[in-house]
Amino acid sequence: MKIVKAREVGEREVERLLTKAAFDEVELNPKIRESNRKLFGRDMSAAELVRQIVGDVRRDGDKAVIHYTKLIDRVELTPENLLVSEAEFEAAEQAADPAVVASLRKAAENVRRYHQEQKPNSWMTYRDQGSILGQSIIPLDRVGIYVPGGTAAYPSSVIMNAVPAVVAGVREIIMMVPPKNGKINPYVLLAARAAGVKKIYKIGGAQAIAAMAFGTETVPRVDKITGPGNIFVTLAKKEVYGHVDIDMLAGPSEILIVADKTADPVYTAADMLSQAEHDPLASSIVITDDEELAGKVAAEAEQQLAKLPRREIAQASIDRNGLIVVAEDMMQAMRFANVSAPEHMELLTAQPFQLLPYVRHAGAVFLGAYSPEPLGDYFAGPNHVLPTGGTARYYSVLNVETFMKRTSIISYTQPALAAVSDDIIRLAETEGLQAHANAIRLRRNEKC
Amino acid sequence: MKIVKAREVGEREVERLLTKAAFDEVELNPKIRESNRKLFGRDMSAAELVRQIVGDVRRDGDKAVIHYTKLIDRVELTPENLLVSEAEFEAAEQAADPAVVASLRKAAENVRRYHQEQKPNSWMTYRDQGSILGQSIIPLDRVGIYVPGGTAAYPSSVIMNAVPAVVAGVREIIMMVPPKNGKINPYVLLAARAAGVKKIYKIGGAQAIAAMAFGTETVPRVDKITGPGNIFVTLAKKEVYGHVDIDMLAGPSEILIVADKTADPVYTAADMLSQAEHDPLASSIVITDDEELAGKVAAEAEQQLAKLPRREIAQASIDRNGLIVVAEDMMQAMRFANVSAPEHMELLTAQPFQLLPYVRHAGAVFLGAYSPEPLGDYFAGPNHVLPTGGTARYYSVLNVETFMKRTSIISYTQPALAAVSDDIIRLAETEGLQAHANAIRLRRNEKC
């Protein structure tokens, strides 16, 4: 674990360490590169590979989806079993532990309740002479959710994507999950069905994103794609963006903990590791004004790490991206935190609400010793699909409006239009758009 | 002007005609292709050219911006005059007609007032045992606005982009405008200054978008880029998306008018032309249940067209994309309108509010004979930056939240966390994430 002191290295150097590379600079690890060479017979960047897959799926539909699923996921699919069957749902119900199902239900209910509070209303406002302006906020028709498979199965991600879409009023929700040995985790299936997802496909990676963006014989085209994934999923989302909307481009997960001398080093280290165990590329950062705490957290993290089942992943992440910054004071610590714009920001300080007004850039903020990140990942209600890699500067946490869109409403009466017609004609003619001016002049019974 | 009857050609064929190609299928016109070949010495797709420009600007900053401005816009810039100077603002004030400036001020005030109504508040909600959940809605730090130059100058676009950003509370707004013979339209400059834009750069095209996304020696990096542009601007926005947020990918402008037998053919034709005069690729569509009206509108459009100063553009647009659909009834007309998902939808019917509940997909809706599109383009208050090409299925009109982002707030107390800790531990362990479970267990004083 690296410890740096702002006093010694300077603010600029700390800021440099805290500013992460953008998603397109993520280098594929050599294993993936080697395996791509074997599969495709030539060196390809991840972006080139993704463009090829997206183009093929757009042109050849199911055929290309089945081809790439066999090639990459080593699973043989047919058009008939792309879709999860009723028998597979029943098997999932047999396999599931009822206590886990009950916990998933409670989590989904908390998520539903929180997101219900986000739901906006359409509105109208009355103006002069019978005119009305307004804004309709309308749910999307059909959305597609991507749920990663990979090193772990994430039923919680199903809830976090599907429930807000349901609350928004989306008419149809479909879902893509990469199959592992041809199967999908039972809790993923049950969480999806409970949340109201109609169709689940056993497709992963860039081919899943392309299938949802353009539609295939089996997969209906959606209006928006949400949910996180690996670098191929992320690049595919960028490639199809514009043909379809997407939630955001997300990279590896991060936590940044702002801690003062009152922070418990045991909790602080545990929260770092709860991020580090996700991914070797995940990053875990502590910023504190207390040098003593910095040392204790580093030592405690080492101890806790040794006992983790996913210690290889967590160790790789800590070695690569573990960082403790000793700031000169808490205001400098908050400045650093905002420069990082982390996905998760914990405030492990004596008076965390005092710092809330200084948080400008974060996906989610966790206040105080009893609000650890896993509370938000699983249960409290706010969403866990969050902007990463510094993109909290401009992206929002997934929310109900992610699944809605806004339409303006304009209704003027004859006298209301007449009252402003000189101004409109003047502006249209200034811009050289005579037909715009004519549309107004003709309504004043002028000849054009 | 093409007239098709749904009864004769069938619903499917009408839907096919109404579904526009996505932005990446826009073919460059042969003139642009030829000129690119001359400039760059080889055949390049628009996307390849844009990738090259974006890469060069990212690497070489101002030098690349100046290079491409000279090559493409034929304007010689230096790092010192990229930015519009105080003397240029003064010259604009001298050149401006005070009546136009006054109309722009009134328009800006209407836009400000409407967008003020959109402004969301951060909120918190009290839960059990001292816990609190909430959502902060925070303005972006710095945004960049693109205002097209091209065949017309658009001071109205300055207002429509800048005012919502100001209402949102954005700290710094910068703007890019392609120079025409080295100059920028005076009303564009005055509208920008009045709206609160701090810095205006004489840069256009893909190089302007890249400069804002990555920053150069002279241009600060922004968090989000908004505003419409030509195909190069649009492709550049897609290329930099992820490094920076963007509002949407927009293509040529469109209007779709739903008209019944009470619609005035003179108004209907005028409103079609107010769209057609923008761009040869613009599209103007009428859907009506009245065959007689269809013929009258076509004839009237021809007459009005002949007298327009921009008749070449409008004629090309009408020839290419002008369409009148005769529907079997008004409900079918509304289904067709939603399939098209137009940027602007006018309801020129006897009782337009009766149809509002059936509008699912449109950028903006204009109700009744006295709400023509130019009223919304210039003056009423709602935004004129709208989704095009069928993307109203998923994109919103530009709004105050375009310039804000959402952050979740989570604060639990010790008893509140204890009450839900079993569920969280169960879910974390089900997902195989032991360090997540440990972060909770350690807070129950368990050994991990």
Side-chain angles (χ1 to χ4, degrees):
Chain A
M1 180 93 69
K2 193 192 289 190
I3 302 182
V4 301
K5 293 173 194 159
R7 202 181 330 109
E8 288 172 8
V9 303
E11 285 210 1
R12 276 300 156 105
E13 173 60 13
V14 173
E15 289 179 10
R16 196 190 62 77
L17 289 169
L18 292 173
T19 309
K20 295 182 55 88
F23 73 97
D24 70 349
E25 288 156 18
V26 173
E27 205 19 78
L28 286 182
N29 79 46
K31 275 188 205 163
I32 298 184
R33 184 168 284 276
E34 178 56 31
S35 121
N36 280 348
R37 200 173 10 239
K38 274 193 197 143
L39 291 177
F40 302 103
R42 62 187 180 93
D43 247 332
M44 269 193 284
S45 73
E48 282 168 338
L49 173 57
V50 163
R51 270 200 287 273
Q52 178 183 311
I53 295 173
V54 169
D56 287 356
V57 171
R58 186 176 186 181
R59 195 186 56 237
D60 298 334
D62 285 345
K63 201 181 130 218
V65 168
I66 289 168
H67 170 73
Y68 285 109
T69 303
K70 187 175 170 187
L71 202 62
I72 298 170
D73 300 330
R74 312 222 175 133
V75 173
E76 297 255 8
L77 293 174
T78 64
E80 289 69 41
N81 71 5
L82 282 175
L83 198 60
V84 172
S85 68
E86 202 48 47
E88 287 170 288
F89 280 112
E90 279 162 27
E93 265 171 43
Q94 294 298 320
D97 173 352
V100 174
V101 173
S103 292
L104 282 171
R105 283 230 180 88
K106 282 190 234 173
E109 174 52 25
N110 287 348
V111 171
R112 194 201 60 71
R113 191 171 158 210
Y114 176 84
H115 287 78
Q116 195 67 44
E117 309 230 24
Q118 287 180 332
K119 196 173 176 179
N121 288 315
S122 298
W123 51 264
M124 294 205 294
T125 160
Y126 291 74
R127 295 293 164 86
D128 301 338
Q129 294 170 292
S131 56
I132 275 182
L133 300 175
Q135 186 176 254
S136 292
I137 309 185
I138 302 173
L140 303 184
D141 279 351
R142 189 189 287 130
V143 303
I145 293 172
Y146 188 85
V147 173
T151 60
Y154 297 116
S156 57
S157 281
V158 176
I159 292 171
M160 292 295 181
N161 280 279
V163 171
V166 170
V167 171
V170 170
R171 288 178 173 176
E172 186 181 358
I173 305 169
I174 70 167
M175 196 169 101
M176 297 274 158
V177 195
K180 210 169 178 176
N181 307 320
K183 286 191 166 24
I184 293 175
N185 179 285
Y187 299 110
V188 166
L189 291 186
L190 297 179
R193 175 155 281 193
V197 177
K198 292 276 183 289
K199 291 171 180 161
I200 303 170
Y201 296 85
K202 287 178 278 184
I203 314 175
Q207 57 273 27
I209 301 300
M212 293 194 282
F214 299 109
T216 70
E217 299 85 337
T218 314
V219 180
R221 184 180 76 152
V222 304
D223 299 309
K224 187 160 188 168
I225 298 172
T226 69
N230 63 19
I231 181 71
F232 298 104
V233 168
T234 302
L235 288 171
K237 282 169 78 177
K238 178 164 177 172
E239 184 65 22
V240 302
Y241 175 68
H243 298 282
V244 66
D245 197 15
I246 64 172
D247 53 345
M248 65 181 93
L249 295 173
S253 200
E254 318 135 20
I255 193 169
L256 184 147
I257 303 167
V258 176
D260 65 13
K261 65 173 192 256
T262 69
D264 185 327
V266 174
Y267 299 175
T268 310
D271 295 355
M272 289 184 93
L273 294 177
S274 74
Q275 201 53 239
E277 75 171 337
H278 271 297
D279 186 337
L281 298 176
S283 96
S284 308
I285 297 170
V286 169
I287 304 182
T288 179
D289 62 349
D290 185 34
E291 203 172 320
E292 211 183 309
L293 180 79
K296 283 186 196 163
V297 169
E300 179 64 30
E302 210 163 303
Q303 279 200 0
Q304 291 183 25
L305 220 166
K307 288 178 266 174
L308 288 179
R310 292 167 69 93
R311 66 184 160 275
E312 272 186 52
I313 295 172
Q315 183 75 59
S317 160
I318 292 289
D319 288 348
R320 188 189 168 109
N321 293 322
L323 177 65
I324 302 179
V325 173
V326 181
E328 297 189 58
D329 54 49
M330 290 308 283
M331 283 300 101
Q332 189 189 45
M334 290 308 296
R335 279 203 304 282
F336 287 151
N338 284 319
V339 165
S340 173
E343 184 186 11
H344 307 95
M345 189 190 292
E346 285 188 2
L347 303 177
L348 292 185
T349 60
Q351 318 212 311
F353 273 95
Q354 289 303 114
L355 294 179
L356 192 56
Y358 299 96
V359 177
R360 290 280 298 186
H361 305 302
V365 190
F366 299 79
L367 291 91
Y370 295 98
S371 312
E373 193 214 297
L375 166 66
D377 286 345
Y378 289 111
F379 209 76
N383 213 284
H384 82 196
V385 181
L386 292 160
T388 63
T391 62
R393 288 191 295 123
Y394 43 80
Y395 284 143
S396 294
V397 51
L398 193 82
N399 61 81
V400 167
E401 285 205 46
T402 305
F403 299 103
M404 307 183 85
K405 65 211 165 74
R406 294 165 182 243
T407 297
S408 307
I409 301 171
I410 299 173
S411 172
Y412 266 47
T413 56
Q414 184 169 28
L417 183 67
V420 299
S421 59
D422 282 342
D423 289 306
I424 300 174
I425 291 166
R426 190 175 296 124
L427 291 171
E429 292 180 349
T430 299
E431 292 192 353
L433 297 176
Q434 191 59 49
H436 283 63
N438 288 356
I440 307 295
R441 287 189 186 280
L442 288 162
R443 284 167 165 92
R444 302 203 299 198
N445 298 318
E446 292 177 34
K447 290 265 172 215
C448 292
Chain B
M1 181 94 69
K2 192 191 289 188
I3 301 183
V4 301
K5 292 172 195 159
R7 201 180 333 107
E8 289 171 8
V9 301
E11 286 211 1
R12 277 301 154 105
E13 173 60 12
V14 174
E15 289 178 10
R16 197 190 61 77
L17 289 169
L18 292 173
T19 309
K20 295 181 57 88
F23 71 96
D24 70 349
E25 287 156 18
V26 173
E27 205 20 79
L28 286 182
N29 80 47
K31 275 188 204 162
I32 297 185
R33 184 168 285 276
E34 180 55 32
S35 121
N36 280 348
R37 201 175 7 241
K38 275 194 196 142
L39 291 178
F40 302 103
R42 63 187 180 92
D43 247 333
M44 271 193 284
S45 74
E48 283 168 336
L49 173 57
V50 163
R51 270 199 288 273
Q52 176 182 313
I53 295 173
V54 169
D56 287 355
V57 171
R58 187 177 185 181
R59 196 184 55 238
D60 299 333
D62 285 345
K63 201 180 129 216
V65 168
I66 290 167
H67 169 73
Y68 285 110
T69 302
K70 186 175 171 186
L71 202 63
I72 299 169
D73 300 329
R74 314 228 171 126
V75 173
E76 298 254 8
L77 293 175
T78 63
E80 290 67 42
N81 71 5
L82 283 175
L83 197 62
V84 172
S85 69
E86 202 48 46
E88 287 170 287
F89 280 112
E90 279 163 27
E93 264 171 45
Q94 295 298 318
D97 174 352
V100 174
V101 173
S103 292
L104 283 171
R105 283 229 178 87
K106 282 191 234 172
E109 174 53 23
N110 287 349
V111 172
R112 193 200 61 71
R113 192 173 156 209
Y114 176 84
H115 287 78
Q116 194 67 44
E117 310 230 23
Q118 288 181 329
K119 195 171 178 180
N121 288 315
S122 299
W123 50 265
M124 295 205 293
T125 160
Y126 291 73
R127 294 294 162 86
D128 300 338
Q129 295 170 290
S131 57
I132 276 181
L133 299 175
Q135 186 176 255
S136 292
I137 310 185
I138 302 172
L140 303 184
D141 279 352
R142 188 189 288 131
V143 304
I145 293 171
Y146 189 85
V147 174
T151 59
Y154 297 118
S156 58
S157 281
V158 177
I159 292 171
M160 292 295 182
N161 281 278
V163 171
V166 170
V167 170
V170 170
R171 288 178 173 178
E172 186 180 358
I173 305 168
I174 70 168
M175 196 170 102
M176 296 273 158
V177 196
K180 210 169 179 176
N181 306 321
K183 286 192 168 22
I184 294 176
N185 178 285
Y187 299 110
V188 166
L189 291 185
L190 296 178
R193 174 155 283 194
V197 177
K198 292 275 182 292
K199 290 172 181 162
I200 302 170
Y201 296 86
K202 286 178 279 185
I203 314 175
Q207 57 273 27
I209 301 299
M212 292 194 282
F214 299 108
T216 70
E217 299 86 335
T218 315
V219 179
R221 185 180 75 152
V222 305
D223 299 309
K224 187 159 187 169
I225 298 172
T226 71
N230 63 17
I231 181 71
F232 298 104
V233 168
T234 302
L235 289 171
K237 282 169 77 177
K238 178 164 178 175
E239 184 65 21
V240 302
Y241 175 67
H243 296 282
V244 65
D245 197 15
I246 64 173
D247 53 346
M248 65 181 94
L249 295 172
S253 202
E254 317 135 20
I255 192 168
L256 185 147
I257 303 168
V258 176
D260 65 12
K261 65 173 192 256
T262 68
D264 185 327
V266 175
Y267 299 176
T268 310
D271 296 354
M272 290 184 92
L273 294 176
S274 75
Q275 202 52 237
E277 75 171 337
H278 271 299
D279 186 338
L281 298 175
S283 98
S284 309
I285 298 170
V286 170
I287 305 183
T288 179
D289 62 350
D290 184 35
E291 204 173 319
E292 211 183 309
L293 181 77
K296 283 186 197 162
V297 169
E300 179 64 30
E302 211 164 303
Q303 280 200 0
Q304 290 184 23
L305 220 166
K307 288 178 266 173
L308 287 180
R310 292 166 70 92
R311 67 183 159 278
E312 272 185 53
I313 295 173
Q315 184 75 58
S317 161
I318 292 291
D319 289 348
R320 184 188 172 111
N321 294 321
L323 176 66
I324 302 178
V325 174
V326 181
E328 298 188 56
D329 55 48
M330 289 309 282
M331 282 300 102
Q332 189 188 46
M334 289 308 295
R335 279 203 303 283
F336 287 151
N338 285 320
V339 166
S340 173
E343 183 186 10
H344 307 94
M345 188 190 293
E346 284 188 2
L347 303 177
L348 292 184
T349 60
Q351 318 211 309
F353 274 95
Q354 289 303 114
L355 294 179
L356 192 56
Y358 299 96
V359 177
R360 290 280 299 186
H361 305 301
V365 191
F366 300 79
L367 290 90
Y370 295 98
S371 312
E373 193 214 297
L375 167 66
D377 286 345
Y378 289 111
F379 209 77
N383 213 284
H384 82 196
V385 180
L386 292 160
T388 63
T391 61
R393 288 190 296 121
Y394 44 79
Y395 286 143
S396 294
V397 50
L398 193 81
N399 61 81
V400 167
E401 285 205 45
T402 304
F403 299 103
M404 308 182 85
K405 66 209 165 77
R406 295 165 181 242
T407 298
S408 306
I409 300 170
I410 299 173
S411 171
Y412 266 46
T413 56
Q414 184 169 28
L417 183 66
V420 300
S421 59
D422 282 342
D423 289 306
I424 300 174
I425 291 166
R426 191 175 294 123
L427 292 171
E429 291 179 351
T430 298
E431 292 192 355
L433 297 176
Q434 191 60 48
H436 284 63
N438 288 356
I440 308 295
R441 287 190 187 278
L442 288 162
R443 283 168 166 92
R444 302 203 299 197
N445 297 317
E446 292 177 35
K447 289 266 171 215
C448 293

